[in-house]
Every structure is written in C-alpha cells, then in structure tokens.
Amino acid sequence: MTTNRIQVNRVEKGVERRVLIAMITSKPVLARLAPKWKEDHFNAKWANVIGSCCVKYFNRYQEPPGKAIEAQFEAWSNNGKDPETIRSMGTFLASLSGEYERLGAEANPEFVIDQAGRYFTRTKLQRLAEEVLAHADNDDVE
C-alpha cells in the first residue's frame, strides 16, 4: 500500500509540475484553464498561489506570464507572506530553468488541459473524502 501511495504521489507531482509550467508558458493552456480557475485546484498552497498569479496575469494581458512570473513572485513575497509557501514557490521557480522553454514549447496543450482536469477533479474528490471522514470521526453523521 505504501509503495502505491508513493507512486501516486510522484505521478501527481509530475502532473502538478507539468500543469503549472504550462500555465506559466502556454497561452492555449492558460486560456482554457483561466475561466474555470478556483484558488484551491492544487494540493499545495504554493502551487495555488502560482496558478492564481498566472490567471491574474492572463486576465489582464491575455498572455501567460512566462518569465514575468518571477517579478510576480517577488511582489507577492515582499508582502510578508507565509515563509514556507515563499520557500516552496522559490524552489519551484528556481528549478524551471531547464524545463521552462522545453516543456512550454513541446507540451501538447490538449493533453495538458486533460491532465489538469483529471488532477483538479482528483484533488476535489480527495478533499471531499477527507471532509466526509472528519465528519464520521466526529460522529457528525447528520
């Protein structure tokens, strides 16, 4: 069971990363995801912040942020936000150097959009399951 959970987590992290990179670099992907965006689509808080930054940028300029995501991150982090979220976002953005152009240019937008939809639905179902279990644990069955 633990091995399967680890494999699922690796797959989810890969999908999460691919979707975020596409949101940063791909106009077709961001154009399709922006109208449906909710600020809790990703499991990680830092990923939701990056996704929200991409959507806000797209709504204003009709383009993905690309390298401007770094300036958005700097502006966001200067407002005294959660240090753990800042660290995680910074680590992710710093790791993009090699993947930034390659994945943005090579990604099939329809494939990434499909992956995003499945990932977002899975995240929503996981949260619902946790909520149901919390109610059951608290004997709140009504």
Side-chain angles (χ1 to χ4, degrees):
M1 182 73 167
T2 304
T3 304
N4 289 341
R5 179 67 97 188
I6 291 169
Q7 289 172 340
V8 168
N9 284 341
R10 283 187 189 144
V11 168
E12 284 183 357
K13 293 296 179 196
V15 171
E16 180 179 78
R17 186 173 182 82
R18 218 174 356 270
V19 171
L20 280 170
I21 290 170
M23 288 179 76
I24 293 168
T25 61
S26 172
K27 185 174 183 175
V29 170
L30 196 50
R32 292 270 299 277
L33 296 181
K36 300 174 185 176
W37 179 253
K38 296 203 179 352
E39 296 197 9
D40 66 346
H41 275 316
F42 291 101
N43 281 321
K45 181 178 178 181
W46 64 268
N48 285 312
V49 172
I50 291 174
S52 292
C53 286
C54 291
V55 169
K56 287 175 188 170
Y57 189 95
F58 182 80
N59 288 339
R60 182 166 183 167
Y61 302 109
Q62 299 303 303
E63 292 289 334
K67 293 184 181 189
I69 195 71
E70 294 170 3
Q72 286 185 297
F73 167 66
E74 289 171 11
W76 181 86
S77 65
N78 286 335
N79 291 328
K81 304 293 184 185
D82 172 37
E84 179 62 28
T85 302
I86 291 171
R87 186 189 62 73
S88 297
M89 286 175 64
T91 300
F92 172 76
L93 293 173
S95 72
L96 290 182
S97 60
E99 292 179 84
Y100 203 68
E101 283 87 22
R102 183 179 60 81
L103 285 179
E106 292 179 10
N108 175 339
E110 292 303 316
F111 176 71
V112 175
I113 291 163
D114 287 346
Q115 281 194 314
R118 290 181 56 80
Y119 175 82
F120 295 158
T121 299
R122 186 172 47 248
T123 300
K124 189 176 184 179
L125 289 172
Q126 288 169 340
R127 286 197 184 112
L128 179 61
E130 290 169 5
E131 187 178 323
V132 168
L133 288 173
H135 283 291
D137 288 347
N138 293 327
D139 200 29
D140 180 14
V141 294
E142 326 241 318

